[in-house]
Amino acid sequence: MAESGEALGTVPEHERILQEIESTDTACVGPTLRSVYDDQPNSHKKFMEKLDACIRNHDKEIEKMCNFHHQGFVDAITELLKVRTDAEKLKVQVTDTNRRFQDAGKEMIVQTEDIIRCRIQQRNITTVVEKLQLCLPVLEMYSKLKEQMSAKRYYSALKTMEQLENVYFPRVSQYRFCQLMIENLPKLREDIKEISMSDLKDFLESIRKHSDKIGETAMKQAQQQKAFSIALQKQNNVKFGKNMYINHDRITEEKREIILRHILEEEDENEEEVLTVQDLVDFSPVYRCLHIYSVLGDEETFENYYRKQRKKQARLVLQPQSSMHETVDGYRRYFTQIVGFFVVEDHILHVTQGLVTRAYTDELWNMALSKIIAVLRAHSSYCTDPDLVLELKNLIVIFADTLQGYGFPVNRLFDLLFEIRDQYNETLLKKWAGVFRDIFEEDNYSPIPIVSEEEYKIVTSKFPFQDPDLEKSFPKKFPMSQSVPHIYIQVKEFIYASLKFSESLHRSSTEIDDMLRKSTNLLLTRTLNSCLLNLIRKPHIGLTELVQIIINTTHLEQACKYLEDFITNITNISQETVHTTRLYGLSTFKDARHAAEGEIYTKLNQKIDEFVQLADYDWTMSEPDGRASGYLMDLINFLRSIFQVFTHLPGKVAQTACMSACQHLSTTLMQMLLDSELKQISMGAVQQFNLDVIQCELFASSEPVPGFQGDTLQLAFIDLRQLLDLFMVWDWSTYLADYGQPASKYLRVNPNTALTLLEKMKDTSKKNNIFAQFRKNDRDKQKLIETVVKQLRNLVNGMSQHT
């Protein structure tokens, strides 16, 4: 029962499987069949049985179907057999028609192929034209680039490269020629950089060579502008301009108008010839190079290179030639090169943006200014010619004015000019020292003779001298010698020369006045005073010349007030101004007079010594000659003649000289008596010496120089007189008794002096009276001398112990 139940269960399953096999695609049969084998063990056999039964059923159905349609199939075959003959005919006709069509279409095929080929060519041509139209602008721009490179239009070439890279190359980047062009552009850019840099180097070399011409033109224009401004100031009667001098004469209004007109005419004539820095230098290489490096994005490299090279050139320009100080052309060339350098830099500063900056030019100028000042300070120190120093000053002023016009600070240059002014004054002082020496050498040291009024006016036109007595009658003589007006004129010339340096220094009239007075004081106190002192000390200058020198200095001292008026007229600064410097003429000429007076005293004493050296005393004579010695009379005659010359001197000078001469003569005579080499002296020699002293006293009492009161001059010989009176009278008791008393008759006799002379007389007495000692009077005298000598020695020793 169980088996029959299972069998009944499997039959529907097999039918389902068979239905799936019949209804599904053959690709899905596998799983269905696998389920047959996966089921119960005997299910396969049963399925095969069921499958055979199904096949048999289908065969029966097919047989039924064939039987049903067999007659129709037979009929169809019969009809096909009937139409076979028609089909063969049709085939023959179709074959013939096809052949005839094939023959007729061969020519059409050829023409069609030609048309196709033409159409393809036309399409290709259209494509090529389109591509060429796309490439042609690129090629044209590249050709344009080559033309610009050939024409050296590098900035335009760089712009063309930018267009090629940004606009044209992207359109045709797929072509190989475009890649070659793209690869060539960096090389072209490098070539442009190298070429532009080469042009810049040529430009830098060119401006280095032409900087002196540029500077010369700029300085000339600045000088013309300054001359024009000065002319306008003169035209407008500027206060300071009214007092300027040309050729030492005041410029009249008429002359100033003529000068201004002349300057204006010159300005009109030169107006068309005014050159600028652009006219002298082609700056296009700088502009091109700057633009090129800006386009290339390498502007900083160009700026650094330009500034570095210009700094090197600045150092070369600032390096002076070793012989620059010898001529003014050396200084002018130095200044023009520097001006040319900075004029170019100023132009570059204003026409380019960023290539140079104001800070850069200021730094460069400060560096250059320090070097310039050091160079000028060093080289100007070698200048010994005041004319060269003055020309250097004018060049520095023009140099400073020129660069100041371009905005460069130049205050330090004007400070340097004050240093150079001191040096200029030193060179002037040296030059005028030579001038004064020549004047003194050529002077005859005699009063200036005049024989007519014309000669009087000539002298007074040179020197401010006023004496109504000289104007009344001729011939007469000026008290001073020829050197006085010459020195006065040269002092004025010195003031003019000093004024020349003070011009154009942008200083006030007060400052100029102060500078003139100070330099004039230096001339008087140092140069003229030194020349006078050297002159006074010269051996060949005698007493007559010294007297004339004193007279000359007196008149020069009086003329100092006229020199002050002269400076006032030049600067228009009143002497009553609080800060006005005074001229030191009084102290200058007073020192010279004192030196001359001292030299007079010295030379007069030397002359006295020369006469005294001619003395030839016989110190052992027994009796005097009865008259004064010849040398002394000659000396007195000389003194009388020389003191007559002293009448032109101030009274005190002549009196002092006379008193000094008498005192020196007295001292010399005293020294002669007390000379250590003189061992013995007789009473006869003392008497002869007394005669000479009497002549000296007579000379003193004759008043050789007026102005002495009473016997003042005779007091110069008082020491000698009292000493000789003591020995002549032999009044030793009175001398010893009254010694030290104010009312003593022999107050001026020193015990030492008396003892020395007495010992010399004692030795002579012993020698001459060696056999007279047996006479009573001689013995008494000898004892008296010994007694006096002993008392004098005690007196001298007592004085020494007391001291």
Side-chain angles (χ1 to χ4, degrees):
M1 287 297 293
E3 292 180 355
S4 61
E6 293 178 357
L8 290 174
T10 57
V11 172
E13 180 67 21
H14 290 165
E15 289 180 353
R16 185 185 63 76
I17 291 171
L18 289 175
Q19 288 177 357
E20 287 182 2
I21 292 173
E22 290 178 352
S23 61
T24 61
D25 192 5
T26 56
C28 300
V29 174
T32 304
L33 293 176
R34 189 179 296 111
S35 64
V36 174
Y37 291 97
D38 293 337
D39 289 340
Q40 298 177 3
N42 296 322
S43 63
H44 175 262
K45 183 178 180 180
K46 292 178 179 180
F47 176 74
M48 293 301 295
E49 291 176 354
K50 188 67 178 175
L51 181 61
D52 290 338
C54 184
I55 292 171
R56 284 192 297 273
N57 289 331
H58 283 296
D59 289 339
K60 288 178 181 181
E61 288 179 359
I62 291 170
E63 185 177 355
K64 289 179 181 181
M65 181 69 68
C66 290
N67 291 329
F68 179 76
H69 292 287
H70 178 70
Q71 186 61 42
F73 176 73
V74 172
D75 293 339
I77 292 301
T78 301
E79 288 180 0
L80 286 172
L81 289 175
K82 288 179 180 181
V83 298
R84 183 172 65 178
T85 304
D86 295 335
E88 289 178 354
K89 291 179 181 180
L90 180 60
K91 179 180 177 183
V92 172
Q93 290 177 354
V94 169
T95 301
D96 183 56
T97 302
N98 180 55
R99 180 181 57 75
R100 285 185 285 135
F101 269 110
Q102 289 292 335
D103 293 340
K106 285 181 180 179
E107 185 176 353
M108 183 179 295
I109 290 172
V110 172
Q111 293 177 354
T112 301
E113 289 176 351
D114 292 340
I115 291 173
I116 292 172
R117 190 163 50 253
C118 289
R119 290 289 176 84
I120 292 174
Q121 290 178 352
Q122 185 178 11
R123 187 177 66 249
N124 290 340
I125 289 172
T126 302
T127 303
V128 168
V129 169
E130 290 176 356
K131 298 300 182 182
L132 287 177
Q133 287 177 345
L134 190 62
C135 295
L136 189 59
V138 179
L139 297 175
E140 289 177 349
M141 289 297 290
Y142 196 80
S143 176
K144 180 181 178 181
L145 173 63
K146 289 293 185 180
E147 291 176 357
Q148 290 171 341
M149 291 291 293
S150 300
K152 298 183 178 181
R153 296 165 53 199
Y154 302 115
Y155 180 73
S156 301
L158 290 174
K159 289 297 184 182
T160 302
M161 290 183 193
E162 286 187 356
Q163 290 182 348
L164 284 172
E165 288 179 329
N166 298 329
V167 179
Y168 293 95
F169 282 165
R171 300 175 184 175
V172 292
S173 59
Q174 69 273 20
Y175 300 112
R176 190 175 64 176
F177 78 90
C178 180
Q179 295 300 322
L180 294 176
M181 291 181 181
I182 292 173
E183 294 173 359
N184 195 37
L185 288 186
K187 183 178 180 299
L188 291 177
R189 284 193 173 93
E190 290 299 322
D191 292 342
I192 290 174
K193 288 179 66 174
E194 292 177 0
I195 294 170
S196 61
M197 186 59 70
S198 176
D199 291 342
L200 178 64
K201 292 178 180 178
D202 294 340
F203 166 79
L204 293 175
E205 181 66 20
S206 174
I207 60 174
R208 188 184 70 82
K209 293 180 180 179
H210 294 88
S211 60
D212 55 345
K213 181 64 176 177
I214 298 170
E216 181 181 354
T217 302
M219 291 175 68
K220 183 177 179 181
Q221 292 174 357
Q223 192 173 7
Q224 290 175 349
Q225 181 64 32
K226 185 176 180 180
F228 182 73
S229 300
I230 292 174
L232 286 179
Q233 288 179 354
K234 291 178 179 179
Q235 180 70 8
N236 295 328
N237 294 326
V238 176
K239 186 176 182 181
F240 178 74
K242 288 182 179 181
N243 293 281
M244 296 304 293
Y245 284 80
I246 294 178
N247 296 327
H248 306 171
D249 292 323
R250 195 179 295 272
I251 303 176
T252 62
E253 294 295 329
E254 227 175 76
K255 288 183 179 179
R256 281 200 290 271
E257 291 179 2
I258 293 173
I259 291 172
L260 177 60
R261 199 159 50 243
H262 179 66
I263 292 174
L264 291 175
E265 289 174 357
E266 287 185 350
E267 290 288 333
D268 293 337
E269 291 176 359
N270 297 330
E271 187 174 0
E272 298 179 356
E273 301 177 2
V274 174
L275 299 177
T276 62
V277 65
Q278 297 94 326
D279 299 326
L280 298 173
V281 179
D282 180 16
F283 287 91
S284 57
V286 180
Y287 306 150
R288 287 197 303 268
C289 199
L290 177 61
H291 292 161
I292 287 169
Y293 274 79
S294 299
V295 171
L296 294 176
D298 203 8
E299 186 176 0
E300 184 177 355
T301 301
F302 172 73
E303 292 175 1
N304 294 335
Y305 177 82
Y306 176 85
R307 295 180 182 182
K308 181 179 178 181
Q309 293 301 315
R310 289 296 279 166
K311 284 185 177 179
K312 288 182 179 179
Q313 289 187 345
R315 294 188 183 96
L316 291 176
V317 167
L318 294 171
Q319 190 66 31
Q321 296 181 354
S322 58
S323 60
M324 183 180 74
H325 62 277
E326 295 178 357
T327 61
V328 70
D329 291 335
Y331 288 108
R332 183 179 290 108
R333 191 178 304 110
Y334 182 68
F335 286 131
T336 54
Q337 288 179 349
I338 296 174
V339 170
F341 178 89
F342 283 100
V343 167
V344 169
E345 288 305 289
D346 182 76
H347 180 77
I348 293 294
L349 173 66
H350 288 90
V351 300
T352 60
Q353 294 181 353
L355 180 56
V356 295
T357 61
R358 174 56 67 182
Y360 163 78
T361 55
D362 290 344
E363 178 187 359
L364 196 62
W365 168 244
N366 290 331
M367 180 272 293
L369 188 58
S370 299
K371 178 67 175 178
I372 292 167
I373 291 175
V375 167
L376 292 178
R377 187 178 286 127
H379 281 261
S380 63
S381 62
Y382 297 109
C383 295
T384 57
D385 182 8
D387 294 334
L388 179 58
V389 178
L390 183 60
E391 290 181 351
L392 172 60
K393 167 258 174 180
N394 292 332
L395 283 175
I396 293 176
V397 170
I398 297 172
F399 173 75
D401 289 343
T402 303
L403 289 176
Q404 190 175 32
Y406 285 92
F408 295 100
V410 294
N411 292 335
R412 292 173 63 189
L413 284 175
F414 285 100
D415 294 338
L416 174 65
L417 283 175
F418 280 94
E419 297 180 21
I420 298 178
R421 182 200 64 189
D422 297 336
Q423 181 185 345
Y424 175 73
N425 286 337
E426 289 297 326
T427 58
L428 284 180
L429 293 175
K430 291 179 181 179
K431 179 180 179 180
W432 257 259
V435 172
F436 291 150
R437 284 194 297 269
D438 294 340
I439 292 174
F440 291 142
E441 289 292 334
E442 296 172 359
D443 194 9
N444 57 7
Y445 298 99
S446 300
I448 303 174
I450 51 172
V451 296
S452 63
E453 186 178 358
E454 288 74 14
E455 292 183 0
Y456 174 82
K457 290 181 179 179
I458 291 174
V459 176
T460 54
S461 66
K462 297 178 181 179
F463 183 77
F465 181 83
Q466 296 177 354
D467 187 354
D469 294 335
L470 280 177
E471 299 179 13
K472 293 179 181 179
S473 61
F474 300 97
K476 284 194 175 182
K477 292 183 179 180
F478 282 97
M480 66 278 189
S481 66
Q482 192 65 45
S483 62
V484 172
H486 289 167
I487 290 175
Y488 182 79
I489 291 173
Q490 287 302 321
V491 173
K492 292 174 67 176
E493 291 291 338
F494 177 87
I495 294 172
Y496 280 124
S498 183
L499 176 64
K500 288 180 181 179
F501 195 94
S502 302
E503 295 173 351
S504 305
L505 291 185
H506 308 297
R507 298 293 170 179
S508 65
S509 300
T510 304
E511 291 176 305
I512 293 176
D513 181 85
D514 185 63
M515 287 188 289
L516 288 179
R517 294 178 184 273
K518 287 181 178 179
S519 59
T520 306
N521 277 330
L522 281 177
L523 179 72
L524 296 176
T525 58
R526 196 170 76 183
T527 305
L528 182 56
N529 189 36
S530 176
C531 290
L532 283 171
L533 294 177
N534 292 333
L535 174 67
I536 290 168
R537 297 189 186 102
K538 285 186 176 181
H540 70 275
I541 298 296
L543 292 170
T544 305
E545 288 82 359
L546 289 171
V547 171
Q548 187 62 55
I549 289 173
I550 292 176
I551 296 171
N552 290 347
T553 54
T554 302
H555 289 284
L556 286 172
E557 179 183 331
Q558 295 171 355
C560 283
K561 64 178 182 178
Y562 296 100
L563 290 176
E564 289 190 341
D565 293 339
F566 176 73
I567 295 175
T568 299
N569 291 332
I570 292 178
T571 60
N572 203 28
I573 299 298
S574 175
Q575 298 183 34
E576 284 71 25
T577 305
V578 177
H579 301 289
T580 301
T581 305
R582 303 297 179 185
L583 296 184
Y584 303 145
L586 181 63
S587 59
T588 300
F589 298 115
K590 184 182 294 185
D591 293 342
R593 276 198 303 278
H594 288 168
E597 292 167 7
E599 198 68 20
I600 286 176
Y601 308 149
T602 301
K603 288 186 180 295
L604 196 55
N605 293 341
Q606 289 174 353
K607 270 295 184 183
I608 293 173
D609 292 339
E610 292 175 5
F611 279 100
V612 172
Q613 288 174 2
L614 298 177
D616 187 17
Y617 287 103
D618 182 6
W619 298 108
T620 60
M621 65 171 58
S622 58
E623 295 293 335
D625 294 338
R627 63 181 182 276
S629 302
Y631 85 91
L632 189 67
M633 297 307 296
D634 294 339
L635 173 58
I636 291 174
N637 292 332
F638 166 76
L639 291 177
R640 290 185 188 279
S641 63
I642 202 66
F643 287 144
Q644 288 180 358
V645 180
F646 285 8
T647 56
H648 298 291
L649 290 175
K652 291 184 179 180
V653 177
Q655 293 170 11
T656 304
C658 185
M659 176 60 76
S660 174
C662 292
Q663 288 176 345
H664 182 73
L665 178 57
S666 175
T667 303
T668 304
L669 293 174
M670 180 69 78
Q671 291 174 352
M672 187 184 298
L673 283 176
L674 304 178
D675 190 1
S676 59
E677 295 181 0
L678 179 60
K679 303 300 182 181
Q680 298 175 354
I681 185 169
S682 66
M683 182 55 71
V686 173
Q687 293 171 353
Q688 179 63 40
F689 200 81
N690 182 58
L691 292 175
D692 293 342
V693 174
I694 290 173
Q695 290 298 322
C696 294
E697 291 173 332
L698 290 174
F699 169 74
S701 63
S702 66
E703 198 176 4
V705 173
F708 286 106
Q709 295 180 356
D711 55 353
T712 303
L713 190 59
Q714 292 174 272
L715 292 177
F717 300 97
I718 188 65
D719 292 351
L720 270 176
R721 174 46 51 211
Q722 290 187 7
L723 180 63
L724 291 174
D725 285 349
L726 177 61
F727 278 86
M728 293 295 292
V729 179
W730 207 256
D731 193 8
W732 292 104
S733 58
T734 304
Y735 173 75
L736 293 172
D738 295 343
Y739 180 76
Q741 300 298 324
S744 175
K745 180 180 179 181
Y746 304 104
L747 182 63
R748 309 282 299 186
V749 178
N750 189 287
N752 277 317
T753 304
L755 177 60
T756 302
L757 185 58
L758 189 58
E759 286 180 339
K760 292 181 180 182
M761 293 183 69
K762 181 184 72 170
D763 295 338
T764 304
S765 177
K766 286 181 179 181
K767 181 178 180 182
N768 293 337
N769 299 309
I770 189 169
F771 296 108
Q773 58 183 331
F774 301 105
R775 295 194 294 270
K776 186 177 184 302
N777 292 334
D778 294 333
R779 288 199 306 273
D780 293 341
K781 184 177 182 181
Q782 187 67 29
K783 288 180 181 179
L784 178 59
I785 292 175
E786 291 176 355
T787 302
V788 172
V789 168
K790 185 177 181 180
Q791 291 177 348
L792 287 173
R793 283 177 179 168
N794 292 333
L795 182 61
V796 170
N797 292 333
M799 291 173 57
S800 300
Q801 291 176 4
H802 177 72
T803 303

